[in-house]
Each structure stands twice: as C-alpha cells, then as structure tokens.
Amino acid sequence: MSEVEMGRPVSEWAKMPVDWIRAGELVNFADESYSVKSMWLKEDKSARNACISSLKLYLALCCRADFITGNASVTYEELIRLTGLSRPTVAKALTRLEVEGLIQRKAQALRKGSSILICGWLESKSWAKIPKRWLYDGSFGAKILMLTEFNFSRASLSALKVYIALLAYRDSNRGGIAMLSYDRLALITGVKRHHIADAITRLYDLRMISFRQGDFSEASDFSRTNRYLVRGLGVRWTKADEFEIPQSSIHKNRPGAADIAAANLFVSTSPKVT
C-alpha cells in the first residue's frame, strides 16, 4: 500500500542505486536497432517506447520501494496509476527491467500484487536521491505527474536518460551539484551529443532541473562543462564572490579563525580617519 493510500504525506525523496548507471548500462536503453538489410543502425520506435516505459517504471518503483530493503509490494493497477502507462506496457516494462538485471520479481499470493526487489539496493556502493515529492508535483494524488510528461518521443527518451544521469552524478562535495560536459553526458547516456542541449532544455522547461552554463574549454570550443541542480532536493543557487554556488555549500567559503584574526589585527593597527 502506498503512502497516499495509507493517508500519509509523500516523503521528500527516495533512493536509487547508481552502480549500474556509472557502469554505462544506461546506454542499453537505446532507440536504435541493427538492420541486417542495410547493415546499419536504424531508428526503432518500438524499442524507444519500451525504453521510455521501462525507465519511467524504474523511477516509480524506486519511489515505492521500502527505504531499508529496496522491496516494493505493488499491484498492476497502482503502477498504471503512478506512471500513466497501460497494463500491457507495464508488463513489458517489468520484463525489460528484469532482463537488464535492475529488478527481481518474487513470487507471492496474487491478491497481494507483485513483490519486486530493486537490484543493488543493499549492495550498491552509492545511491542517488530521487526528489520524490517534486515528481509528484507537490500533490498527494496517486500519479507521479512529472513522469507522465514524458511521452513516447525521442526527445522524451533523451531527457529521461539525461535526468537519471544527473541524479546519479550529483556531487555531495559540490553541495549536490552535478558537473558534466556534453561529451560526458553523451557517453553516460548514449544520447547523441547534438540532442543533449534539447534534453536539458526539456528538463528545464519541466522545472526538473536548473543549470549554470560553464565556460568553453580553450582546447575545444565544443567542450563546455555545465553545472546542474536537480530541483526538489533542497539545494538552491546563491550569489557569492561573483560565482554561482549552491546554497548548501556556502559554509565552505566562511573565513577560518586565522583569517578572522588577521583581519582584526589589520583593523586595530590601521590609522584612524579623523
């Protein structure tokens, strides 16, 4: 039974294992297939739809999983409500996630629905935060509204994969900001580099991320490392020393005891103005 059905507010965030993402497995969710006839990769809309539904369902399952065990007890009806997907699509997406080694279905009484374990929940060396309440769009409804915004299009698949990558590569040492170049994002996600900008714009328009543009590298005019803030996780931008830094990191710029002592000495020894 979900938090909504139990009458409890939706929690702020959920966990997501990231080892599989950092191992490059997000690339497996591609919308191209090899054509024997042309001996070349071609656009595959069926594969694209399967990838989009699978990734949407994965995020939904992570949001529903028990925080300690990584187990989610769900029914098909609940997954349909959460994601806006049809029953056949949910069934295919579950199979795809199982084939990819991202979930494991466990047998239990039919009346209890499905018992699904998120693989790597306990074994993962690290995990990401999913802004759970933000994806629900602040509502207590039974649908994850933000996920329903991703339709079956190439732009949606690109944006969804980039979003998952940004969740996985948030840096706690930088106040929860992800710093990634377009080239790096393309490598992590498998999204073609010239589609990265459109994916970022889509996420920005959906109010799922905020970003600050980085400077172009002197070595390459095409190598720009931007800073990305995932919205809904309590991190905000603020001005400090003419640079944009996350609010949660501002304490790192406070002067130390030696700096304060030096400043006080300078003030006490400076001639007074009359």
Side-chain angles (χ1 to χ4, degrees), residues 217-245:
S217 167
E218 293 182 1
S220 171
D221 289 340
F222 297 99
S223 179
R224 168 180 276 176
T225 299
N226 293 337
R227 288 168 289 165
Y228 301 94
L229 180 154
V230 176
R231 304 191 68 171
L233 292 175
V235 179
R236 291 180 174 83
W237 298 105
T238 183
K239 282 280 190 180
D241 297 330
E242 299 182 355
F243 291 98
E244 295 284 2
I245 64 170

Side-chain angles (χ1 to χ4, degrees), residues 33-42:
S33 60
Y34 182 76
S35 172
V36 177
K37 184 177 180 180
S38 62
M39 299 180 65
W40 198 257
L41 288 173
K42 66 175 183 178

